[in-house]
Amino acid sequence: MRPLLRNVAALAVLTLVAGVGLAWFAQVTEDQVARNRLEAETRILRELIGVEPGAGDHKGRPYGALGNADLVLCERDLVVLRADGSGYGGAFRLAVALDLDGSIQGVRVLKHAETPGFGDILKAPSSWLDSFTTDDVHAVTGATITSEAVMAAVKRAVQMVRLEDMCPP
């Protein structure tokens, strides 16, 4: 019985040490992970508004929450909104670039939890994401729930731009 207790105690100590180590590592890297996410999102937003990587900073500024979406910036006669939704695999976040009249200029996925393979329609470059600029968008067979949820989120962003005076002087 004693060897069993020793083994259980050793396993408990190892588990505790591993847990503490992982928690410490997560805390130490938290700021870097946040910076990396922000850089990735900024790169996607710059791509949407047509700013070359390495070019000077844009003059747009964050405007904050607007109901279901966040107005990210107004620049070059474009509005960029973040729009959230929920697909088959869980929550997603989009960046939608629109003209001030609500015409879609681009859609990019900032974050998603879709299954690899089914979620491939969400990766840029994607002919499906590019089809939003032509108003010829259809649900994707095999990813119907997700594609319809993305289409609904983009539609909400378009309606918001058409209803609101999005870019104050």
Side-chain angles (χ1 to χ4, degrees):
M1 187 71 154
R2 284 201 158 151
L4 177 63
L5 289 177
R6 250 185 298 167
N7 289 341
V8 169
L11 185 58
V13 168
L14 285 173
T15 302
L16 180 64
V17 169
V20 168
L22 287 172
W24 173 81
F25 188 74
Q27 186 177 13
V28 167
T29 61
E30 184 177 16
D31 290 341
Q32 184 62 43
V33 169
R35 279 192 300 274
N36 289 347
R37 283 187 181 140
L38 181 61
E39 286 175 17
E41 186 172 311
T42 301
R43 200 170 35 253
I44 292 168
L45 294 174
R46 292 171 71 87
E47 174 190 317
L48 271 175
I49 63 170
V51 175
E52 294 293 321
D57 288 338
H58 61 77
K59 295 177 187 170
R61 61 185 192 277
Y63 287 89
L66 294 169
N68 294 352
D70 291 329
L71 178 58
V72 177
L73 61 91
C74 293
E75 183 175 313
R76 300 178 183 205
D77 296 325
L78 287 176
V79 176
V80 178
L81 294 172
R82 278 192 212 108
D84 295 329
S86 185
Y88 183 78
F92 61 80
R93 173 165 274 184
L94 307 174
V96 183
L98 305 145
D99 283 334
L100 295 177
D101 66 358
S103 302
I104 300 169
Q105 297 302 307
V107 176
R108 292 294 178 270
V109 178
L110 300 173
K111 172 176 93 168
H112 74 84
E114 296 302 324
T115 305
F118 293 112
D120 288 349
I121 62 169
L122 304 176
K123 293 180 185 174
S126 162
S127 59
W128 185 72
L129 287 176
D130 292 342
S131 70
F132 280 94
T133 61
T134 65
D135 285 336
D136 186 30
V137 185
H138 303 283
V140 176
T141 303
T144 308
I145 294 171
T146 298
S147 58
E148 287 180 350
V150 169
M151 291 173 3
V154 171
K155 183 178 180 180
R156 286 192 306 272
V158 169
Q159 290 171 340
M160 191 173 295
V161 167
R162 289 183 178 160
L163 293 175
E164 302 284 335
D165 180 20
M166 299 301 276
C167 296

